[in-house]
Amino acid sequence: MCTAATYKTQDFYFGRTLDYEFSYGDEITVTPRKYPFHFRHMGEVVSHYAMIGMAHVAGDYPLYYDAVNEKGLAMAGLNFVGNAVYQEVEEGRENVAQFEFIPWILSKCATVKEARESLNKMNLVGTPFSEQLPSAQLHWIIADENEAITVECMKDGMHIYDNPVGVLTNNPPFEQQMFQLNNYIGLSPKQPENRFSDKLNFNAYSRGMGALGLPGDLSSTSRFVRVAFTKMNSFSGVSEKASISQFFHILGSVDQQRGCCEVADGKFEITLYTSCCNTNKGIYYYTTYENHQISAVDMFGENLNEKELIKYPLIKGEQIYWQN
């Protein structure tokens, strides 16, 4: 399970948590402009926008979980198990395999508007990367500093939704996630007023009671509500440090601790990493389960006219700042 969110202050930020019981060996991966993408049904693309994100690199191919390109367009894929159904290869359409979706959109689109235009010509197909890595069942959030959309490919075809909250988790489908927010219309960061009865006197005996009823479990529906409430009510300074600090706090509201979500005997889902990318500056910040210190890679600090992938392994040991 995972959670993705957007956040805007002076710059625009995009990131996600990746929650799972094990890691595939993820790396911060910069794909420069001249890295040759060999698309299964669309041929080779040798010149494109550069991008940075978290990926499992297999056979020198970046299988991105989330990424942002040099124009500031960001994208993440999140589990959508049981609902994702991919399309068939169709002549006359741009047939893009599920694992190619992020590179395909980010290599050629600078804005969500351009991504929408590309999606109108595209079939999202289930061609697997390999026998060992079959097609993952996912849905996606695509965002720039002006808007966000959710893309879901299901049994009845591809759906493209406006995403006004800039949040995505997992099941159920996005329309249902948005509808359930109606159940929490009364939540507020302010202290509650007595609307129960004017014949009774009530005591708001604790701070934070305006959000009584905000779900606290780790299910995808509850995480959607919780991170949407946290994000939509967030307040921070506009500096880079203030903005990224607040963003990590927003996603921290859905952090998964080892022991709280058991997926098999003795196996627990945890938040393997949390990311925050300044899409205007191309800086990818992250923390890991074992390392709460924020680390960063600057895409524009690399030579983006190269042909080879640039990879940075995650820093996983806890980094403690000693003060004496």
Side-chain angles (χ1 to χ4, degrees), residues 24-272:
Y24 283 94
D26 317 318
E27 298 175 289
I28 312 300
T29 304
V30 178
T31 300
R33 299 176 186 124
K34 295 183 180 179
Y35 169 86
F37 277 115
H38 301 278
F39 293 103
R40 296 292 175 88
H41 306 286
M42 298 304 299
E44 185 178 56
V45 175
V46 297
S47 181
H48 50 77
Y49 295 139
M51 62 193 78
I52 184 172
M54 190 74 76
H56 167 55
V57 178
D60 198 43
Y61 189 92
L63 298 167
Y64 277 113
Y65 305 122
D66 55 276
V68 60
N69 69 15
E70 61 182 293
K71 296 298 182 180
L73 184 65
M75 189 169 174
L78 289 81
N79 270 349
F80 196 44
V81 176
N83 280 306
V85 178
Y86 299 118
Q87 298 163 296
E88 298 296 324
V89 174
E90 181 182 346
E91 188 174 350
R93 302 279 290 173
E94 294 179 345
N95 298 291
V96 178
Q98 167 267 317
F99 68 87
E100 301 170 331
F101 192 25
I102 291 179
W104 176 258
I105 293 296
L106 296 190
S107 67
K108 58 187 291 193
C109 300
T111 62
V112 169
K113 180 181 178 183
E114 290 183 12
R116 285 182 187 269
E117 294 169 357
S118 181
L119 289 167
N120 289 333
K121 300 179 287 185
M122 196 190 97
N123 273 17
L124 186 59
V125 304
T127 305
F129 179 78
S130 66
E131 289 185 9
Q132 293 74 31
L133 293 170
S135 293
Q137 296 185 60
L138 305 175
H139 59 174
W140 291 263
I141 179 172
I142 306 174
D144 61 25
E145 62 182 351
N146 297 310
E147 59 179 324
I149 59 174
T150 294
V151 180
E152 295 180 339
C153 203
M154 300 194 294
K155 191 174 183 179
D156 59 348
M158 181 185 288
H159 302 269
I160 304 167
Y161 302 105
D162 290 333
N163 187 333
V165 294
V167 168
L168 189 63
T169 58
N170 312 108
N171 288 320
F174 182 70
E175 274 192 323
Q176 295 178 46
Q177 295 275 36
M178 285 296 297
F179 183 80
Q180 73 158 348
L181 291 181
N182 288 290
N183 296 331
Y184 303 94
I185 193 171
L187 299 189
S188 170
K190 300 181 183 298
Q191 286 294 85
E193 298 178 6
N194 178 13
R195 293 189 174 90
F196 189 90
S197 172
D198 59 6
K199 299 177 178 63
L200 296 172
N201 292 321
F202 290 99
N203 176 27
Y205 56 83
S206 173
R207 293 180 178 182
M209 292 180 70
L212 274 174
L214 182 68
D217 62 87
L218 296 175
S219 67
S220 53
T221 52
S222 294
R223 283 184 286 107
F224 187 94
V225 175
R226 192 158 69 254
V227 83
F229 178 82
T230 306
K231 177 234 168 140
M232 300 299 284
N233 289 287
S234 279
F235 178 83
S236 72
V238 300
S239 71
E240 183 74 349
K241 287 184 177 180
S243 299
I244 63 171
S245 175
Q246 185 71 0
F247 190 90
F248 278 102
H249 282 300
I250 291 168
L251 285 182
S253 69
V254 291
D255 200 36
Q256 296 207 27
Q257 299 80 28
R258 183 177 285 113
C260 294
C261 180
E262 188 171 19
V263 296
D265 288 343
K267 293 185 178 180
F268 301 95
E269 184 169 272
I270 60 172
T271 299
L272 295 172

